[in-house]
């Protein structure tokens, strides 16, 4: 999308993501629920509600959803509740965001309640900020197999779990790690270490 609109041949400098300091790893990993939590909001837009400034973006990606994987998890939440606890929320235009229940969730508490989490990427494979927050809590991040994570040092099976944006694959990986606690706990430790080192304003 960037290459389509800009003729830029120089290097890029990627700034690290910063998680607020109140996100802490305080609950023993073995005492957490052995499944994943899914966080993040999504928006479904029709022709009338797509803002002019974003129209070319949605046409480029050929979708009217800000995060398709969040929507898919949301639509299948009852069927998959033994694997994923869904806290995804739909953004409705003209609503008062401050009154949405989603903003009342204590994500620090939730990330310490579960062993794994998903914070589905948005258009253009842009990470949701909660991926950094969850890792700071020692919760194992299940994220897209993409350079947006590889470029900052995330390695599949070492400090996060990757997927190809397919819900069935995500479910299979959750099932695998539900039965392989020692591997999952190792990923949790490595995940927390890199998050604690890099996901802060000093770094």
């Amino acid at each position: 999308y960037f290459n389509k609109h800009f003729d830029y041949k120089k290097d890029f400098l990627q700034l690290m993501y910063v998680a607020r300091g109140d996100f802490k790893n305080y609950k023993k990993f073995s005492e957490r629920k052995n499944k994943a939590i899914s966080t993040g909001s999504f928006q479904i837009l029709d022709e009338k509600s797509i803002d002019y400034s974003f129209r070319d973006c949605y046409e480029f990606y050929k979708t009217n959803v800000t995060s398709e994987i969040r929507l898919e998890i949301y639509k299948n939440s009852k069927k998959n509740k033994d694997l994923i606890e869904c806290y995804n929320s739909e953004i409705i235009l003209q609503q008062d965001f401050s009154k949405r229940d989603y903003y009342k969730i204590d994500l620090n508490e939730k990330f310490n309640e579960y062993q794994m989490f998903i914070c589905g990427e948005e258009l253009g494979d842009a990470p949701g900020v909660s991926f950094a927050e969850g890792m700071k809590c020692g919760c194992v991040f299940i994220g897209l197999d993409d350079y947006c994570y590889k470029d900052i040092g995330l390695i599949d099976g070492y400090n996060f779990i990757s997927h190809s944006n397919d819900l069935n694959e995500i479910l299979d990986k959750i099932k695998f790690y539900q039965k392989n606690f020692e591997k999952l706990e190792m990923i949790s430790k490595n995940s927390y270490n890199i998050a604690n080192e890099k996901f802060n304003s000093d770094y």
Side-chain angles (χ1 to χ4, degrees), residues 41 87-91 95-107 110:
S41 58
Y87 284 88
N88 297 111
S89 173
E90 182 177 1
I91 295 175
Q95 74 180 156
D96 184 345
F97 293 131
S98 65
K99 295 180 180 179
R100 291 177 62 215
D101 289 340
Y102 180 76
Y103 291 111
K104 299 175 184 176
I105 299 170
D106 184 343
L107 285 178
K110 290 299 177 185

Side-chain angles (χ1 to χ4, degrees), residues 42 44 65 67-76 88 90:
F42 61 89
I44 305 172
V65 182
S67 177
E68 293 182 342
I69 195 66
R70 293 181 191 179
L71 172 60
E72 193 171 358
I73 290 171
Y74 180 82
K75 289 194 304 187
N76 293 279
N88 297 111
E90 182 177 1

Side-chain angles (χ1 to χ4, degrees), residues 34 115-116 140 142 156-158 160-162 171-185 187:
N34 185 21
Q115 292 181 352
M116 295 169 274
V140 174
I142 304 172
D156 179 39
Y158 178 74
F160 93 120
I161 299 167
S162 73
L171 296 174
D172 285 342
K173 291 203 170 187
I174 292 171
K175 291 175 186 176
F176 173 81
Y177 282 104
Q178 282 180 329
K179 298 175 182 177
N180 290 273
F181 174 79
E182 290 183 359
K183 290 182 179 180
L184 188 62
E185 186 177 37
I187 296 173

